[in-house]
Structure formats: structure tokens, C-alpha cells
Amino acid sequence: MIFSILGVINPFGAFSRPGEYLANIYNVFFGVIICICDGKEDWMRACGDVQTKLFQRAFFLATPTGKAFFYFYVGSMTILMLPEGIWSVIYIILGSCLSLLALVMLFFQYCGGYCGSGYGQMAAGGSSGQL
């Protein structure tokens, strides 16, 4: 999110590379969504209960599978942005980390029970995974 904010701060980028500038704006927006999804519930309640409101409006983000697919989308979009210079290496690394995190989340969700992780097993209350 920070690197995308730096890309948005450059006002001349909107004229020289409008697609990259727009992608940075999207990445800032997606970064805020990721911060809300993964933020502590107490902090989010203090900020107007934004986490609950987000999960009500975009329920897929409240599920581990939906969150993983969202992370994979944002990571792949970041990888494919490819700005000029050293920024392309940074974006590839950041996008790869986010995409890898999504794959690990999916692995633990669906195969975690076979590896000794309780993440993918059914809970006593009948719900699967953790929120």
C-alpha cells in the first residue's frame, strides 16, 4: 500500500502513465481493504465498526477462501503492473509474496487437517476454518 501511495503522490504520473497511476489508486484501495480485514476487531470497532460493515457488504472477505482469492487477485495485479526501473522488482516481490500468502492460506484451509493443522478442520460449532 505504501509503494502505491508513493506512486499516487506523483501527479505527473497521471499524464505520463495513466494506467499505472490508476492501478496504484486501486492498490491503495485494496490495501485499505486488506488492513480492515486483518485488523484487530477492537481497533475496527473503535473506527466505526468498519470490519463488520465490510464483511456484511462483501461477505466473501469474511471467509478464508474468499480472502485468499482476493489476496491472490491483488498480488497478481501487483506483479503484472511492472512500473519502470527498480520499482518493477519491488512490485514483483510484493505481488509474489501476497500471491504466495494466498496459496498458503488455501493450502491450510483445505489440506491443513492432513498436516496436523487445525485450521482446515471443522470446529465444534459446525463452522469451518477461522475468521
Side-chain angles (χ1 to χ4, degrees), residues 9-71:
I9 289 175
N10 179 10
F12 300 111
F15 299 113
S16 62
R17 296 189 67 163
E20 183 180 317
Y21 192 77
L22 182 62
N24 280 325
I25 291 173
Y26 284 139
N27 276 345
V28 170
F29 177 70
F30 292 150
V32 170
I33 290 174
I34 289 172
C35 288
I36 292 171
C37 285
D38 291 337
K40 288 187 173 186
E41 288 183 39
D42 298 341
W43 295 356
M44 296 302 124
R45 269 191 228 108
C47 294
D49 208 15
V50 291
Q51 192 176 58
T52 303
K53 291 175 184 175
L54 176 67
F55 290 161
Q56 287 173 348
R57 287 171 178 75
F59 180 72
F60 70 96
L61 292 173
T63 66
T65 303
K67 192 184 297 187
F69 278 115
F70 179 70
Y71 286 1

